[in-house]
Amino acid sequence: APAGKVYQLWSLSSLDPLTPHDAGLLDSKSKSKVQLGKSVAEPKAFAITLEPAGGSSGPTLSQLYVLGTVPES
């Protein structure tokens, strides 16, 4: 990520309406690389956005890099 930014992982419990939950930070400068957030039961999808250092309370959709659905079992 560029200086002053971090990639943030989101768990989406609903796509309509979009219901994101912070799932952690992906920080290549950190020793652990991934700082996990709270777990979310039965996510429907996951997303990765570019956020200010320290992360955001909600995703910056204009900086959305990855979006993938979770197959239903």
Side-chain angles (χ1 to χ4, degrees), residues 42-63:
E42 300 183 36
K44 303 294 184 215
F46 288 93
I48 297 176
T49 58
L50 184 63
E51 303 293 341
S56 296
S57 60
T60 303
L61 297 178
S62 64
Q63 296 292 312

Side-chain angles (χ1 to χ4, degrees), residues 10-22 40 43-45 59:
W10 302 94
S11 172
L12 307 172
S13 59
S14 175
L15 297 176
D16 188 24
L18 184 66
T19 310
H21 304 277
D22 177 18
V40 177
K44 303 294 184 215

Side-chain angles (χ1 to χ4, degrees), residues 42-44 69-73:
E42 300 183 36
K44 303 294 184 215
T69 59
V70 177
E72 293 187 32
S73 48

Side-chain angles (χ1 to χ4, degrees), residues 1 6-7 26-31 33-34:
V6 65
Y7 291 105
L26 307 172
D27 185 358
S28 63
K29 297 169 190 84
S30 169
K31 286 183 181 180
K33 305 292 185 212
V34 177

